[in-house]
Amino acid sequence: MRKTTLVVLAGAFTALATIAYAANPMVGGAAMFADKNIVENAVNSKDHTTLVAAVKAAGLVETLQGKGPFTVFAPTNEAFAALPKGTVETLLKPENKDQLAKVLTCHVIGAKAMAADVAKMAMDDGGAHMVKTAGGCGLTLKSDGGKVTVTDENGNVANVTIADVEQSNGVIHVIDKVLLPKM
């Protein structure tokens, strides 16, 4: 009887460990670990090399490695490539560091908001929830049938393509557009 109990407990532990590990989706072909911070995980995503380069150029690495909590709407390389020709190169120049930091911090909310949280906030507010970002931008969050969208101050709509990537200091939601502040 004792041996059977141990086997059952070992099986239950393995199942729980698998569930906990499997909770985070892969991003850019890389595993994302809930015990690593936003920067530690982002550097491993092949889909976020432009974002990582921009975070470094803007001097925001230390901030995004901080305690948080943060919600980061992380645009892919394709999202950056869709900006008008020369935009990324111009923003990455040292003389444009402040402008780059403003663009990037418009993707960061100073709270941890999972997709279910966004859906509840939007529902509670009649379908759309307005939030202020770390950069002072206003974003409108919507959720419709499990699909989350983020609209910036200019009316650009980004779709969340991978939601709820948990981090030790918050959560990342991968998006398909770069959010821009009103200029």
Side-chain angles (χ1 to χ4, degrees), residues 24 38 69-74 107-109 111-115 117-118 162-174:
N24 246 359
I38 290 165
F70 303 110
T71 296
V72 175
F73 294 102
H107 291 79
V108 180
I109 299 170
K112 182 178 178 182
M114 303 298 281
D117 300 323
V118 171
I162 302 174
D164 296 342
V165 186
E166 291 204 60
Q167 314 292 297
S168 65
N169 59 346
V171 62
I172 290 175
H173 300 293
V174 177

Side-chain angles (χ1 to χ4, degrees), residues 1-14:
M1 184 166 192
R2 195 167 162 181
K3 188 175 183 180
T4 305
T5 304
L6 287 176
V7 170
V8 170
L9 285 174
F13 177 75
T14 302

Side-chain angles (χ1 to χ4, degrees), residues 90-110:
T90 299
L91 285 171
L92 290 174
K93 291 180 179 178
E95 63 268 23
N96 296 323
K97 182 178 178 179
D98 290 344
Q99 187 179 5
L100 177 61
K102 174 76 171 175
V103 168
L104 294 175
T105 55
C106 282
H107 291 79
V108 180
I109 299 170

Side-chain angles (χ1 to χ4, degrees), residues 67-82:
K67 184 178 178 182
F70 303 110
T71 296
V72 175
F73 294 102
T76 61
N77 294 340
E78 287 182 3
F80 280 102

Side-chain angles (χ1 to χ4, degrees), residues 26-33 36-49 52 56 77 167 172:
M26 299 270 289
V27 175
M32 298 286 116
F33 300 99
K36 292 188 176 187
N37 68 49
I38 290 165
V39 175
E40 290 171 326
N41 275 319
V43 298
N44 294 317
S45 169
K46 68 177 173 36
D47 292 342
H48 291 90
T49 57
V52 169
K56 289 177 181 177
N77 294 340
Q167 314 292 297
I172 290 175

